[in-house]
Amino acid sequence: MSVLDLKKFTVIFLAVFFVACASSYMDTRHSSPNFENDAFKNTNSVKFLSFWEMFKSVLESDVEPSVWPEWVDTSADTSPVKKVVNSNTRITFINHATFLLQTGGFNILTDPVFSERTSPFSFLGPKRVHSPGIAIENLPPIDVIIISHDHYDHLDLDSIRALAKRDNPKIYMGLGVGERLSGSEQIIELDWWESSRVADDFQLWFVDVQHFSGRWLTDRNSTLWGGFLLEIAGQKIYFGGDSGYADHYKRTFERFGPVDIAFLPIGAYAPREFFEEVHMDPSDAVQAHLDLRAGISIGMHYGTFQLTAEAINEPVNFLEQAKKEANIGPSEFITLKIGQPFELASGPPASSASLK
């Protein structure tokens, strides 16, 4: 792909980034204190450029997007285990922000994206550069799906509908997102800090992060974005979805104490003047790891779809540098190989690292 093509793609992506039909799902959203003037808001003030301001900035930017490879060969788990019935946690990195978590007898899927593109168009938009670490047809029966927000690289309607039809899992998401998923009977919408008990020994909370939502030019922030805190099998697992760095990580720690495992975004951050408030870079992610007092953090949101200007391997390399600068041990914040299961025995001890 040429630099000119990447410039064109970036413009298209900025359009796609805000995309879908305007929501008319008013009943639950208007009950939220976070919903004002037909839009959700972040806890902290965040200045969003308008679409046209971003369009103009991209055209005028001196930052040249890195050229990614057209395809990268990766591993795939063709026969994942059906269940993990003890308190161990088996984690398989599928792609981007999609993980299969297996613990306590539950199979949990995060932000499932198995389509070729993260776009409203089958022929245009960010295209994957590697296969999913587990093909959708090879997944074990899924009990729970958690969806952080409705952007195309996190909410893949075709994948969700296929899994809903096959397994009928419980699907958790923020307010308003459920309208996009008509046809599934097990949709549970949550406001920030609301919880749902999945089973006697499994409870989850929807927690605030600093981001935005929308699938079309006219529906920005019409649905609620967030992260999840899962209490399951004696562990606290944090899934951060997509976020800029802000004090919400400290708020989550203050409410729940140290987390055992944190999934934190480390990619789609360049150029910083466009994305700093809504996408963390690895240095920000390291600080979020410290704020959460995480026993172990796992990087995500990189290396599958070229959404921004940085090189395909830059987030992983940058993370190693950021860990050294913060005096974080090599095993405290890691990245996983696509399709290769990683198992934690009975959950790691929570970190004793101090907050800044």
Side-chain angles (χ1 to χ4, degrees), residues 207-312:
V207 300
D208 80 309
V209 301
Q210 184 167 290
H211 200 54
F212 66 111
S213 67
R215 289 167 76 88
W216 189 242
L217 303 179
T218 58
D219 71 341
R220 183 189 285 189
N221 295 344
S222 65
T223 66
L224 187 60
W225 56 92
F228 287 87
L229 193 288
L230 283 59
E231 282 195 349
I232 181 172
Q235 302 172 90
K236 285 179 281 189
I237 301 173
Y238 177 86
F239 177 72
D242 209 350
S243 182
Y245 178 76
D247 57 359
H248 55 271
Y249 297 107
K250 292 181 181 180
R251 288 196 296 274
T252 298
F253 165 74
E254 289 166 358
R255 287 187 180 234
F256 299 102
V259 302
D260 296 293
I261 306 169
F263 294 88
L264 296 171
I266 64 169
Y269 52 76
R272 294 307 283 149
E273 62 266 28
F274 294 165
F275 295 107
E276 182 174 12
E277 297 215 85
V278 293
H279 280 172
M280 292 196 294
D281 65 17
S283 181
D284 293 332
V286 164
Q287 187 57 52
H289 162 85
L290 294 173
D291 290 352
L292 290 165
R293 307 277 184 96
I296 186 170
S297 289
I298 297 171
M300 64 177 182
H301 204 263
Y302 68 94
T304 302
F305 304 99
Q306 185 170 12
L307 305 177
T308 48
E310 73 270 11
I312 188 170

